[in-house]
Amino acid sequence: MTLTPPPQRPARSAGRELKEKGLFEAARSVFAEEGFKGATTAEIARRAGVPKANLHYYFPTKEALYRAVTEEILSDWLAAASSFDENDDPKQAISTYVAAKMDLARADPLGSRIWASEILRGAPVIKDFLETTLAEWLASREAIMRRWIAAGKIRSLEPRYFFYMIWATTQHYADFEDQIKALNGGAPLSDEQFQKAKAQAIDTILNGVMP
Amino acid sequence: MTLTPPPQRPARSAGRELKEKGLFEAARSVFAEEGFKGATTAEIARRAGVPKANLHYYFPTKEALYRAVTEEILSDWLAAASSFDENDDPKQAISTYVAAKMDLARADPLGSRIWASEILRGAPVIKDFLETTLAEWLASREAIMRRWIAAGKIRSLEPRYFFYMIWATTQHYADFEDQIKALNGGAPLSDEQFQKAKAQAIDTILNGVMP
DNA sequence: ACGAGAATTGACCGCTTGGTCAAATCCATC
DNA sequence: GATGGATTTGACCAAGCGGTCAATTCTCGT
């Protein structure tokens, strides 16, 4: 399900995609701050610098816009998740995956926050994704981890709670960025600080599971 | 700053505190689901089973109600935080603290979610708490951990990122409960599952930092 | 240069929002 | 049982909401 232009005629000029992209990005920032219900189409339009009626030309309803935003986020999540499979060695697989999730949180904090906000309100839009695609992803990686455990390559543990820890820790840097900022003298983590945090997350998690 | 009755006259009957408590609890559930902006006083009043005008008698504005809810959450957070200091031994202190945070997430998921939602919108109401009380708590516990590191009792690490991992992991079980539910066949974690998750969180975190 | 569809937009609509208010009711005290 | 403040509540209001629409302007193939 990819995002379709509102009327299905061929795009006329490059301005179309540009404007759509502007609205899309404005929507991301407003949804991330206010959640679906708290977000207003007027505010989204204002940030995009277009009249509200113009927004409704590109995205017929607030929910259609929200769904478009959401789909991209799920797609990015899956892309980062694939890094877990790039290596057969647990140490490498886990390191790579945690690093990818940390980088995603850093590169796209808004996406992570929209996800969080969607879960907080009961996940009405992504519930199906969670119950099917995400559940399947988790089940198959649990199987991999159980083989590692059986082979004595990692400690014995319940894989899903391990993944929850990874998700929680990495996404915390996006979702709670404002809290981290407040605890960092008002400034967001510098690149050096973030690299240190990433390295430590990998390190602590690895030490936590390697025998 | 404790919560004051709207007019300051002495309470007449027990019904007053009861009604106030009902509104308070209804407000918690709505704020947790919809965030501050998405929450409506009409919905809060509906869940409390009182007319909206009655809500505004007890809490003059939506923000006053929100602030009252928020204060209690910060207070609970600090209470759980004190468990970190109950023991001089790092292993004991960390175990006890993680257990306390997990128990708090289980006992009061709404509080955790309201906190998360408040951070997501930029923490306008609790920013001062974060920059003062929370920052001081963190600084002094960082000092404790640095002494442990110097004494070789735990691995060398940056204490604050370690606390972020604890906060993230424990609060994940409250904030992302609906996601966990979706990954658990639609059912929330049973008490046994939760105890297992708690034990594993403690275990993995301890292994992650003990030398 | 003109016709036709694409894109733009101010004005507008019905509904919901947070909050107000005055009238009604309750209830401890005398 | 009368008094007066505490409490309750339906009705109401101005502002904001998501969404519509008709009139206008733009853009391209001819």
Side-chain angles (χ1 to χ4, degrees), chain A residues 28-82:
Chain A
R28 284 172 54 84
S29 74
V30 176
F31 284 135
E33 282 169 33
E34 306 287 357
F36 174 76
K37 196 168 174 187
T40 68
T41 55
E43 174 62 13
I44 293 169
R46 201 191 56 76
R47 290 198 196 180
V50 306
K52 187 170 58 122
N54 199 259
L55 179 152
H56 281 101
Y57 176 75
Y58 285 96
F59 300 93
T61 66
K62 180 167 100 161
E63 182 166 342
L65 178 48
Y66 181 75
R67 285 184 182 270
V69 163
T70 297
E71 276 175 28
E72 192 198 48
I73 292 165
L74 302 184
S75 159
D76 290 349
W77 192 97
L78 288 172
S82 74

Side-chain angles (χ1 to χ4, degrees), chain A residues 143-164:
Chain A
I144 293 172
M145 290 200 68
R146 286 192 212 286
R147 284 197 288 275
W148 288 342
I149 293 168
K153 290 181 175 173
I154 61 171
R155 283 180 212 269
S156 172
L157 46 70
E158 183 62 41
R160 66 178 50 210
Y161 304 141
F162 174 67
F163 279 107
Y164 294 168

